[in-house]
Amino acid sequence: MAFMVERTSSLCGGGEHEMVFAQAESQKSVPAPFLTKTYQLVDDPRTDHIVSWGEDETTFVVWRPPEFARDLLPNYFKHNNFSSFVRQLNTYATLVEVD
C-alpha cells in the first residue's frame, strides 16, 4: 500500500516552491516547519525508494510506510509515528490512499 499526497494551492502556488507561511515575531513570513521538513524529506533523491515526488511533481508518494516511519521520520521529527505524520499532513494537503 502506498500513500499519495497532492499539493494544494496552499502548498504550492505560483512560485517555485511556495509553502504555507506563518507570521514570525519579526513579521517576516517563514514556511511552517512541518512543511519545510516534509519538503526536505520528500526531495531527497537518496530516499526515492521509500518516498518520492509523483510523476507530475505536484504529489508525493510514500511507497513503504513502515520504512518511512522507522527510518526517515525520526531524522526530521520528534517521533516515528506514521499516523501522526498523516494527521498533521491532513491540515495542509489532500491525501489519497492507493492500493
Side-chain angles (χ1 to χ4, degrees):
M1 174 176 14
F3 286 85
M4 180 173 65
V5 179
E6 296 183 42
R7 289 187 192 175
T8 64
S9 59
S10 62
L11 276 177
C12 185
E16 188 174 312
H17 296 296
E18 287 186 89
M19 296 181 190
V20 173
F21 288 87
Q23 290 295 321
E25 286 182 26
S26 65
Q27 298 300 320
K28 288 178 130 182
S29 292
V30 295
F34 176 80
L35 296 177
T36 301
K37 291 175 183 181
T38 300
Y39 180 85
Q40 291 169 344
L41 193 154
V42 174
D43 204 44
D44 185 348
R46 297 172 298 174
T47 62
D48 282 352
H49 63 289
I50 298 173
V51 59
S52 65
W53 292 113
E55 287 184 23
D56 61 2
E57 296 191 10
T58 62
T59 61
F60 70 87
V61 180
V62 178
W63 300 106
R64 299 179 179 172
E67 290 89 341
F68 179 82
R70 182 188 66 230
D71 301 333
L72 300 181
L73 283 182
N75 294 328
Y76 294 88
F77 302 100
K78 295 179 182 177
H79 65 81
N80 65 351
N81 188 320
F82 186 73
S83 295
S84 293
F85 175 80
V86 170
R87 191 171 23 258
Q88 189 163 5
L89 192 60
N90 276 327
T91 64
Y92 298 104
T94 304
L95 291 178
V96 179
E97 186 173 336
V98 180
D99 291 322

